Amino acid sequence: MKALVWHATGDIRLDDVAEPQIEQPTDAVIRLTASAICGTDLHFVRGTFSGMKEGTILGHEGVGIIEQLGSQVRNFDVGDRVVVCSTLSCGYCPPCRSGNTAQCDNANPNGPQAGTCFFGGPQATGPVNGLQAEKARIPFAANTLVKVPEEISDEQAILISDIFPTGWFGAQMAEIKHGDIVAVFGCGPVGQFAITSALMMGAGQVIAVDSHDDRLAMARRQGAFTVNFEKEDPVETIRTLTGGIGVDIAIDAVGVDSQHAHHGPAAEQAEQKKDEYHKEVQEVAPENFEHQCVEGENWIPGDAPTQALEWAIEALKKAGTLSIIGVYPPTAKTFPIGMAMNKNLTIKMGNCNHHTIIPHLVELVRMGAVDPTKVLTQVEPLSDVVSAYKSFDKRQPGWIKTELLPSQ
């Protein structure tokens, strides 16, 4: 079968690989009808999340049809249509029972202290082959798969696999109250769903910060106030919009590939911290901090890993809440702790508990309460996946969220 395979930093290929088989009685094998490209996938190609194993199939978002079931998977039938939770979970360990499915004790082959296991990730997360393929093996299928009702299309379901629940998780962690003013840093797909979720949870106002006009336009269509950090100082603008107080909640939906301002009033401050940011990039991307694995304009690491965090902390009111859903690797050890501590901030962060959230979002979509496809901008065949990666990586206008269709 065809699958997108990680070979090295800056080197991904559409390869012919063996079809997956049942390996454990808790497994299922599905035929993918849709997958997608996520910003997290780019971290592995850019080298800002190291530890990838050569030969790993990428991708952690999928919708498909069950073709095989292990003997212990008792809640599905062959032929069922399912959405894949991006993080794997057993459903019966203490973390799973408390709703913290991203911290399942059993899913990660590295042991109960290893933390989150997700598809298509590095050694520390398994690794488990991913979903940008024609078929996939699903470990702990009874809890890692969720049935998709007939009323929900593949285009809707693929967005419930990861990015919608992650945006929801970020807003949920922040415990948004009616009337709260929320700033979302990063208006990529997860940021867009963080905006959606914050508004659905009662936020009185959402301020969206990014530098790409198409992303900011999408945020405005949702009703967000938009701030372009390449044209204005985002912190000063947020203070102006909030009467000098700052926001109640800030959501970091950017992560390790954060970019600093290159133009406008915020660029001067970034230039003063140029050396600090370079050290941070070296810390998180040791194989690519000098652009050793850059191909043309592709696979360039973010130039300021802590910039979104710094802006978020500065933009918060005293005793506000910071929610972090942007991805940071274990090698990222720089954090503006002093700024946060001296404002009495509450900080919450983590990987999304997909199985805890996805069934609720499936029902919201089925009822018509929300249509996630408004974030979907591209549909590409799996055969053109490398080209699609390159366009998404360069943040070309219009490339916000890409669905991949495996050839059948």
Side-chain angles (χ1 to χ4, degrees), residues 247-279:
V247 295
D248 301 289
I249 291 159
I251 300 175
D252 170 10
V254 181
V256 67
D257 274 306
S258 180
Q259 298 272 356
H260 65 67
H262 301 85
H263 308 282
E268 182 178 348
Q269 183 180 17
E271 181 62 28
Q272 294 172 358
K273 301 190 67 174
K274 182 178 180 179
D275 291 341
E276 292 179 40
Y277 289 143
H278 186 69
K279 290 178 181 178

Side-chain angles (χ1 to χ4, degrees), residues 22 91 111 121 155 162 273 320:
I22 297 289
E155 287 73 22
D162 179 36
K273 301 190 67 174

